[in-house]
Amino acid sequence: MNPLLQVTDLQTHFFTRDGVAKAVDGVSFTLEKGQVLGLVGESGSGKSVTGFSILGLVDPPGRITGGQILFDGTDLVAGGEPALRHLRGKRIAMIFQDPMMTLNPVLRIDTQMVETVRAHEDVSHAEALRRAREALVQVGISPPDERLKSYPHQFSGGMRQRVAIAIALLHKPDLIIADEPTTALDVTIQAQILSELQTLCATSGTALIWITHDLAVVSGLADRLAVMYAGRIIEEGPTAEVIARPRHPYTRGLIDSVPRGKRHGAMLTQIKGMTPSLLKLPKGCKFMPRCPRADRVCEAEPSLVPLTSERSVRCFHPHDDAEEVLQP
Amino acid sequence: MTEDCILKIDGVTKRFSNDLDIAERTARKLGAKIEPVTVHAVDGITLDVRKGEVLGLVGESGCGKSTLGRMVAGLTPPTDGRILYKGQNVAELKGTAARDAALRIQMIFQDPMSSLNPRLQVRDIIGEAPRVHGIVGRREMAGYVEDILAQVGLDPSTGKRYPHQFSGGQRARVGIARALAVKPDFLVCDESVAALDVSIQAQVLNLFVKLRQDFDLTYMFVSHDLGVVEHISDRIAVMYLGRLVELGDAEDLIARPNHPYTQALVSQIPTFETGKKTYQAIKGEIPSPMNPPPGCHFHPRCPFAHDRCRSEVPVLKQVAAGRMSACHLNDSAA
């Protein structure tokens, strides 16, 4: 069976006055039906641009310059706008970080939801409204009839994000791309959204790409993790494997940087330096200047090498498989 | 216990109310029932901060943790109650004494981009306050600023740059340098690492730990991130809708939370999972502080709520050595 989504050697570059920023530089991954992929990286790693590229949402001066995005057999890069128009909001939906930016502030929720339904399906207004109500119930908004008649500003942050999720669910998409949807929310609300999305994906068989900077949030949710750095995937594998035995020094550094209580008050292990500018990337391995294991070999560019059938890592000196960072 | 208490927050309350506009005032004179809306941002908090400790203040948005931090830093006066710094009521001090006390307590803000003047060079941002307050003479200024920059891990030659020429992590360091320049002994850090990437956040947290040792500082660390607070704090105070619900030793509080709200918060700290985790959500949302529920503020979301919780406000009392909690359940258990 073909995978639901197959991204091969994706290149998304931004042509700025100061030079070409290769925000996404050769990203490849596949996603099966119903799978949850965590796309993890710090700011500027290209994780969001990867998500935007799939839906063709990259604005000038950015442009997809190469690669292939196969969604259920259709190439979205070659197909361009006409191919995407049928898929956006219908088979692929996106949830953004800030729901205040995605919801139209001057339209009521029902107007926006009915519009979404009728954009793809020729149904009556009443039927569209019924579907909108159903979606609101599904994400736990009550009372749905009253809330349908509200404007976005009348909702709290968590509620707005639920409305955005409800809109994403209207057409029962095959794939949801969620770009840091809980970053702006409080922990208790974040837990609610996580638990809801988890149930929804499990019951409807929707695949999910969860884009985040927070490894801990995604570790309890994703089947697979892909860690990005400077526009590339540097490590990929099943979540449990990547978290328990990270092979790339950067992944290990990320996990060590998160305060985890056991070493209360002590110094955290830190990654030295900072993320390089995309306009001035170092030669060879992009992580080399910050890497504790780097040597002369790293002046050449490493490629993403499969370690097992499930895992791959982009490093000349990966950590040993036997070293466990976390005790399960 | 009292001699090592550096800051005493004594029954502090902060209310914000909106002023009625002219139409509303007129309507009210004509007999309409229009009252100004009052928000109890902070509702009678009593808290001691010991010298040299790191007190973590956690809570979700709208719980009043930042307002409390701003009152401690002297940026906004409390409506009721007193804030005693080394035994003196800060609000009652006059002249030099008031100025000295204000300098001792400094604040580090969440977003250095909006708290640093974009049109000043970093050396002026850092140097202005010590020069105005006569801490350093004009001649020693260059060396003094370079020293501070080195202390916070920035290259001393970067003093000539403007805030926008720094990365997020470096700007956070400039914000810290600015606060340190007037030689404070108490720092209020309001979400100071919230906007940073994980790897940079670790660097800045390490800097806080190092500076605490170097300068013998006391911190009040305000954050919504329980993981960060747990790491850096000696004691943790948990706030919910303007009230203190639990206070205790950091490790102990995380390991054995007493208040149902703290229990819920602790269970939701994202942790590294090697298997799928089922998220257990607390039901409901944080109520609006304009219209808080009666009795215990947490009762509409609390799984253990009973009749008493709906009518009577629980008092913060000692439940174990060094642990305070405000929950009626502690009475019924005893």
Side-chain angles (χ1 to χ4, degrees), chain A residues 26-64:
Chain A
V27 163
S28 307
F29 62 88
T30 53
L31 188 65
E32 305 290 341
K33 227 168 148 15
Q35 214 176 34
V36 182
L37 172 76
L39 203 55
V40 185
E42 295 185 282
S43 10
S45 62
K47 58 189 192 303
S48 291
V49 178
T50 305
F52 289 157
S53 300
I54 297 171
L55 273 176
L57 298 178
V58 183
D59 286 326
R63 167 154 67 80
I64 298 179

mmCIF file of all heavy atoms in Angstrom, chain A residues 26-64:
data_model
loop_
_atom_site.group_PDB
_atom_site.id
_atom_site.type_symbol
_atom_site.label_atom_id
_atom_site.label_comp_id
_atom_site.label_asym_id
_atom_site.label_seq_id
_atom_site.Cartn_x
_atom_site.Cartn_y
_atom_site.Cartn_z
ATOM 1 N N GLY A 26 16.198 19.740 1.552
ATOM 2 C CA GLY A 26 16.301 18.286 1.383
ATOM 3 C C GLY A 26 15.627 17.488 2.480
ATOM 4 O O GLY A 26 16.241 16.627 3.090
ATOM 5 N N VAL A 27 14.348 17.790 2.740
ATOM 6 C CA VAL A 27 13.628 17.044 3.779
ATOM 7 C C VAL A 27 12.830 15.911 3.132
ATOM 8 O O VAL A 27 12.126 16.127 2.143
ATOM 9 C CB VAL A 27 12.692 17.990 4.564
ATOM 10 C CG1 VAL A 27 11.653 17.198 5.340
ATOM 11 C CG2 VAL A 27 13.499 18.860 5.502
ATOM 12 N N SER A 28 12.981 14.715 3.657
ATOM 13 C CA SER A 28 12.219 13.566 3.173
ATOM 14 C C SER A 28 11.617 12.830 4.365
ATOM 15 O O SER A 28 12.298 12.630 5.365
ATOM 16 C CB SER A 28 13.127 12.589 2.424
ATOM 17 O OG SER A 28 13.839 13.251 1.419
ATOM 18 N N PHE A 29 10.351 12.466 4.247
ATOM 19 C CA PHE A 29 9.746 11.581 5.248
ATOM 20 C C PHE A 29 8.474 10.995 4.671
ATOM 21 O O PHE A 29 7.955 11.484 3.656
ATOM 22 C CB PHE A 29 9.462 12.312 6.567
ATOM 23 C CG PHE A 29 8.498 13.449 6.474
ATOM 24 C CD1 PHE A 29 7.130 13.242 6.616
ATOM 25 C CD2 PHE A 29 8.958 14.749 6.260
ATOM 26 C CE1 PHE A 29 6.241 14.301 6.539
ATOM 27 C CE2 PHE A 29 8.059 15.816 6.177
ATOM 28 C CZ PHE A 29 6.709 15.592 6.315
ATOM 29 N N THR A 30 8.005 9.934 5.289
ATOM 30 C CA THR A 30 6.736 9.367 4.854
ATOM 31 C C THR A 30 5.812 9.256 6.050
ATOM 32 O O THR A 30 6.269 9.182 7.193
ATOM 33 C CB THR A 30 6.904 7.946 4.269
ATOM 34 O OG1 THR A 30 7.607 7.166 5.225
ATOM 35 C CG2 THR A 30 7.636 7.950 2.965
ATOM 36 N N LEU A 31 4.536 9.276 5.769
ATOM 37 C CA LEU A 31 3.541 9.207 6.832
ATOM 38 C C LEU A 31 2.470 8.224 6.382
ATOM 39 O O LEU A 31 1.900 8.367 5.305
ATOM 40 C CB LEU A 31 2.945 10.605 7.033
ATOM 41 C CG LEU A 31 2.024 10.823 8.221
ATOM 42 C CD1 LEU A 31 2.771 10.654 9.518
ATOM 43 C CD2 LEU A 31 1.428 12.223 8.162
ATOM 44 N N GLU A 32 2.222 7.239 7.233
ATOM 45 C CA GLU A 32 1.185 6.261 6.901
ATOM 46 C C GLU A 32 -0.166 6.782 7.367
ATOM 47 O O GLU A 32 -0.244 7.692 8.180
ATOM 48 C CB GLU A 32 1.463 4.924 7.618
ATOM 49 C CG GLU A 32 2.821 4.326 7.362
ATOM 50 C CD GLU A 32 2.997 3.806 5.946
ATOM 51 O OE1 GLU A 32 1.959 3.592 5.279
ATOM 52 O OE2 GLU A 32 4.136 3.629 5.507
ATOM 53 N N LYS A 33 -1.208 6.160 6.872
ATOM 54 C CA LYS A 33 -2.564 6.504 7.288
ATOM 55 C C LYS A 33 -2.695 6.342 8.813
ATOM 56 O O LYS A 33 -2.251 5.342 9.364
ATOM 57 C CB LYS A 33 -3.527 5.545 6.607
ATOM 58 C CG LYS A 33 -4.714 6.212 5.969
ATOM 59 C CD LYS A 33 -5.413 5.215 5.087
ATOM 60 C CE LYS A 33 -6.894 5.379 4.979
ATOM 61 N NZ LYS A 33 -7.587 6.518 5.365
ATOM 62 N N GLY A 34 -3.256 7.336 9.466
ATOM 63 C CA GLY A 34 -3.509 7.234 10.894
ATOM 64 C C GLY A 34 -2.307 7.410 11.804
ATOM 65 O O GLY A 34 -2.427 7.294 13.020
ATOM 66 N N GLN A 35 -1.157 7.695 11.209
ATOM 67 C CA GLN A 35 0.053 7.825 12.022
ATOM 68 C C GLN A 35 0.204 9.257 12.563
ATOM 69 O O GLN A 35 -0.274 10.207 11.955
ATOM 70 C CB GLN A 35 1.253 7.505 11.142
ATOM 71 C CG GLN A 35 2.370 6.813 11.872
ATOM 72 C CD GLN A 35 3.498 6.433 10.927
ATOM 73 O OE1 GLN A 35 3.782 7.136 9.973
ATOM 74 N NE2 GLN A 35 4.131 5.315 11.214
ATOM 75 N N VAL A 36 0.880 9.377 13.708
ATOM 76 C CA VAL A 36 1.162 10.704 14.249
ATOM 77 C C VAL A 36 2.666 10.943 14.176
ATOM 78 O O VAL A 36 3.460 10.183 14.738
ATOM 79 C CB VAL A 36 0.691 10.828 15.710
ATOM 80 C CG1 VAL A 36 0.963 12.237 16.237
ATOM 81 C CG2 VAL A 36 -0.788 10.502 15.834
ATOM 82 N N LEU A 37 3.046 11.984 13.443
ATOM 83 C CA LEU A 37 4.467 12.324 13.308
ATOM 84 C C LEU A 37 4.743 13.607 14.076
ATOM 85 O O LEU A 37 4.047 14.606 13.902
ATOM 86 C CB LEU A 37 4.826 12.518 11.828
ATOM 87 C CG LEU A 37 6.232 13.060 11.547
ATOM 88 C CD1 LEU A 37 7.278 11.978 11.739
ATOM 89 C CD2 LEU A 37 6.331 13.643 10.142
ATOM 90 N N GLY A 38 5.747 13.592 14.934
ATOM 91 C CA GLY A 38 6.160 14.798 15.630
ATOM 92 C C GLY A 38 7.329 15.424 14.887
ATOM 93 O O GLY A 38 8.348 14.783 14.701
ATOM 94 N N LEU A 39 7.152 16.667 14.453
ATOM 95 C CA LEU A 39 8.220 17.364 13.739
ATOM 96 C C LEU A 39 8.782 18.385 14.719
ATOM 97 O O LEU A 39 8.117 19.359 15.053
ATOM 98 C CB LEU A 39 7.625 18.033 12.503
ATOM 99 C CG LEU A 39 8.516 18.374 11.323
ATOM 100 C CD1 LEU A 39 9.266 17.149 10.848
ATOM 101 C CD2 LEU A 39 7.686 18.951 10.187
ATOM 102 N N VAL A 40 9.996 18.115 15.206
ATOM 103 C CA VAL A 40 10.515 18.886 16.325
ATOM 104 C C VAL A 40 11.722 19.714 15.900
ATOM 105 O O VAL A 40 12.564 19.248 15.135
ATOM 106 C CB VAL A 40 10.956 17.933 17.463
ATOM 107 C CG1 VAL A 40 11.375 18.712 18.685
ATOM 108 C CG2 VAL A 40 9.838 16.983 17.808
ATOM 109 N N GLY A 41 11.806 20.928 16.384
ATOM 110 C CA GLY A 41 12.982 21.743 16.109
ATOM 111 C C GLY A 41 12.852 23.080 16.796
ATOM 112 O O GLY A 41 11.783 23.436 17.279
ATOM 113 N N GLU A 42 13.950 23.834 16.848
ATOM 114 C CA GLU A 42 13.899 25.147 17.482
ATOM 115 C C GLU A 42 13.498 26.180 16.430
ATOM 116 O O GLU A 42 13.327 25.856 15.261
ATOM 117 C CB GLU A 42 15.258 25.474 18.082
ATOM 118 C CG GLU A 42 15.615 24.515 19.202
ATOM 119 C CD GLU A 42 16.904 24.911 19.881
ATOM 120 O OE1 GLU A 42 17.980 24.658 19.333
ATOM 121 O OE2 GLU A 42 16.817 25.478 20.955
ATOM 122 N N SER A 43 13.400 27.451 16.845
ATOM 123 C CA SER A 43 13.001 28.450 15.852
ATOM 124 C C SER A 43 14.034 28.499 14.731
ATOM 125 O O SER A 43 15.235 28.434 14.973
ATOM 126 C CB SER A 43 12.837 29.833 16.475
ATOM 127 O OG SER A 43 13.314 29.897 17.770
ATOM 128 N N GLY A 44 13.549 28.609 13.514
ATOM 129 C CA GLY A 44 14.439 28.697 12.364
ATOM 130 C C GLY A 44 14.922 27.354 11.858
ATOM 131 O O GLY A 44 15.756 27.299 10.965
ATOM 132 N N SER A 45 14.396 26.249 12.415
ATOM 133 C CA SER A 45 14.868 24.947 11.952
ATOM 134 C C SER A 45 14.159 24.513 10.671
ATOM 135 O O SER A 45 14.562 23.557 10.026
ATOM 136 C CB SER A 45 14.672 23.894 13.036
ATOM 137 O OG SER A 45 13.299 23.776 13.323
ATOM 138 N N GLY A 46 13.083 25.210 10.319
ATOM 139 C CA GLY A 46 12.372 24.879 9.086
ATOM 140 C C GLY A 46 11.185 23.966 9.297
ATOM 141 O O GLY A 46 10.582 23.506 8.337
ATOM 142 N N LYS A 47 10.815 23.723 10.552
ATOM 143 C CA LYS A 47 9.713 22.797 10.798
ATOM 144 C C LYS A 47 8.377 23.360 10.327
ATOM 145 O O LYS A 47 7.600 22.649 9.701
ATOM 146 C CB LYS A 47 9.658 22.415 12.283
ATOM 147 C CG LYS A 47 9.510 23.592 13.227
ATOM 148 C CD LYS A 47 9.689 23.167 14.664
ATOM 149 C CE LYS A 47 9.267 24.267 15.631
ATOM 150 N NZ LYS A 47 9.973 25.549 15.462
ATOM 151 N N SER A 48 8.128 24.647 10.594
ATOM 152 C CA SER A 48 6.863 25.230 10.156
ATOM 153 C C SER A 48 6.822 25.363 8.647
ATOM 154 O O SER A 48 5.788 25.107 8.026
ATOM 155 C CB SER A 48 6.665 26.612 10.782
ATOM 156 O OG SER A 48 6.457 26.490 12.157
ATOM 157 N N VAL A 49 7.945 25.771 8.044
ATOM 158 C CA VAL A 49 7.982 25.941 6.587
ATOM 159 C C VAL A 49 7.721 24.600 5.906
ATOM 160 O O VAL A 49 7.061 24.544 4.873
ATOM 161 C CB VAL A 49 9.316 26.570 6.149
ATOM 162 C CG1 VAL A 49 9.378 26.689 4.641
ATOM 163 C CG2 VAL A 49 9.501 27.921 6.792
ATOM 164 N N THR A 50 8.190 23.511 6.507
ATOM 165 C CA THR A 50 7.893 22.189 5.948
ATOM 166 C C THR A 50 6.381 21.967 5.927
ATOM 167 O O THR A 50 5.829 21.537 4.918
ATOM 168 C CB THR A 50 8.567 21.090 6.798
ATOM 169 O OG1 THR A 50 9.962 21.367 6.879
ATOM 170 C CG2 THR A 50 8.363 19.721 6.193
ATOM 171 N N GLY A 51 5.716 22.294 7.039
ATOM 172 C CA GLY A 51 4.271 22.135 7.116
ATOM 173 C C GLY A 51 3.552 23.019 6.108
ATOM 174 O O GLY A 51 2.647 22.568 5.405
ATOM 175 N N PHE A 52 3.982 24.274 6.009
ATOM 176 C CA PHE A 52 3.361 25.205 5.055
ATOM 177 C C PHE A 52 3.571 24.724 3.624
ATOM 178 O O PHE A 52 2.690 24.874 2.778
ATOM 179 C CB PHE A 52 3.957 26.614 5.209
ATOM 180 C CG PHE A 52 3.541 27.313 6.478
ATOM 181 C CD1 PHE A 52 4.303 28.347 7.012
ATOM 182 C CD2 PHE A 52 2.377 26.958 7.131
ATOM 183 C CE1 PHE A 52 3.917 28.989 8.175
ATOM 184 C CE2 PHE A 52 1.976 27.600 8.296
ATOM 185 C CZ PHE A 52 2.755 28.616 8.820
ATOM 186 N N SER A 53 4.749 24.152 3.339
ATOM 187 C CA SER A 53 5.049 23.712 1.980
ATOM 188 C C SER A 53 4.067 22.641 1.519
ATOM 189 O O SER A 53 3.655 22.621 0.357
ATOM 190 C CB SER A 53 6.473 23.156 1.893
ATOM 191 O OG SER A 53 7.408 24.141 2.256
ATOM 192 N N ILE A 54 3.692 21.758 2.437
ATOM 193 C CA ILE A 54 2.785 20.670 2.057
ATOM 194 C C ILE A 54 1.463 21.228 1.556
ATOM 195 O O ILE A 54 0.895 20.756 0.580
ATOM 196 C CB ILE A 54 2.549 19.722 3.261
ATOM 197 C CG1 ILE A 54 3.865 19.065 3.662
ATOM 198 C CG2 ILE A 54 1.499 18.666 2.934
ATOM 199 C CD1 ILE A 54 3.801 18.300 4.952
ATOM 200 N N LEU A 55 0.988 22.303 2.204
ATOM 201 C CA LEU A 55 -0.285 22.894 1.799
ATOM 202 C C LEU A 55 -0.101 24.022 0.794
ATOM 203 O O LEU A 55 -1.050 24.721 0.463
ATOM 204 C CB LEU A 55 -1.024 23.419 3.031
ATOM 205 C CG LEU A 55 -1.903 22.392 3.732
ATOM 206 C CD1 LEU A 55 -2.501 22.967 4.989
ATOM 207 C CD2 LEU A 55 -3.015 21.924 2.810
ATOM 208 N N GLY A 56 1.126 24.241 0.334
ATOM 209 C CA GLY A 56 1.374 25.310 -0.629
ATOM 210 C C GLY A 56 1.127 26.686 -0.065
ATOM 211 O O GLY A 56 0.621 27.570 -0.736
ATOM 212 N N LEU A 57 1.463 26.889 1.198
ATOM 213 C CA LEU A 57 1.187 28.166 1.856
ATOM 214 C C LEU A 57 2.437 29.025 1.994
ATOM 215 O O LEU A 57 2.488 29.917 2.823
ATOM 216 C CB LEU A 57 0.585 27.919 3.250
ATOM 217 C CG LEU A 57 -0.745 27.188 3.286
ATOM 218 C CD1 LEU A 57 -1.189 26.961 4.721
ATOM 219 C CD2 LEU A 57 -1.805 27.975 2.544
ATOM 220 N N VAL A 58 3.473 28.732 1.207
ATOM 221 C CA VAL A 58 4.703 29.519 1.311
ATOM 222 C C VAL A 58 4.554 30.778 0.472
ATOM 223 O O VAL A 58 4.256 30.719 -0.714
ATOM 224 C CB VAL A 58 5.911 28.690 0.840
ATOM 225 C CG1 VAL A 58 7.190 29.475 1.011
ATOM 226 C CG2 VAL A 58 5.986 27.392 1.609
ATOM 227 N N ASP A 59 4.733 31.921 1.123
ATOM 228 C CA ASP A 59 4.572 33.192 0.420
ATOM 229 C C ASP A 59 5.895 33.680 -0.137
ATOM 230 O O ASP A 59 6.946 33.397 0.430
ATOM 231 C CB ASP A 59 4.030 34.250 1.399
ATOM 232 C CG ASP A 59 2.562 34.012 1.704
ATOM 233 O OD1 ASP A 59 1.864 33.550 0.794
ATOM 234 O OD2 ASP A 59 2.152 34.275 2.841
ATOM 235 N N PRO A 60 5.864 34.458 -1.242
ATOM 236 C CA PRO A 60 7.089 35.078 -1.721
ATOM 237 C C PRO A 60 7.682 35.939 -0.607
ATOM 238 O O PRO A 60 6.906 36.513 0.160
ATOM 239 C CB PRO A 60 6.626 35.955 -2.888
ATOM 240 C CG PRO A 60 5.291 35.415 -3.280
ATOM 241 C CD PRO A 60 4.705 34.797 -2.058
ATOM 242 N N PRO A 61 8.972 36.079 -0.501
ATOM 243 C CA PRO A 61 9.990 35.615 -1.443
ATOM 244 C C PRO A 61 10.317 34.123 -1.349
ATOM 245 O O PRO A 61 11.285 33.671 -1.946
ATOM 246 C CB PRO A 61 11.204 36.456 -1.048
ATOM 247 C CG PRO A 61 11.014 36.683 0.408
ATOM 248 C CD PRO A 61 9.548 36.801 0.623
ATOM 249 N N GLY A 62 9.488 33.367 -0.624
ATOM 250 C CA GLY A 62 9.766 31.941 -0.497
ATOM 251 C C GLY A 62 9.147 31.156 -1.640
ATOM 252 O O GLY A 62 8.144 31.575 -2.226
ATOM 253 N N ARG A 63 9.741 30.011 -1.946
ATOM 254 C CA ARG A 63 9.234 29.221 -3.077
ATOM 255 C C ARG A 63 9.774 27.811 -2.912
ATOM 256 O O ARG A 63 10.891 27.607 -2.413
ATOM 257 C CB ARG A 63 9.759 29.903 -4.338
ATOM 258 C CG ARG A 63 9.669 29.189 -5.631
ATOM 259 C CD ARG A 63 9.613 30.246 -6.764
ATOM 260 N NE ARG A 63 10.845 31.023 -6.927
ATOM 261 C CZ ARG A 63 11.918 30.580 -7.579
ATOM 262 N NH1 ARG A 63 11.941 29.382 -8.068
ATOM 263 N NH2 ARG A 63 12.969 31.357 -7.719
ATOM 264 N N ILE A 64 8.948 26.832 -3.288
ATOM 265 C CA ILE A 64 9.427 25.449 -3.296
ATOM 266 C C ILE A 64 10.283 25.295 -4.543
ATOM 267 O O ILE A 64 9.807 25.488 -5.663
ATOM 268 C CB ILE A 64 8.251 24.454 -3.313
ATOM 269 C CG1 ILE A 64 7.420 24.623 -2.044
ATOM 270 C CG2 ILE A 64 8.759 23.024 -3.433
ATOM 271 C CD1 ILE A 64 6.216 23.713 -1.960
#
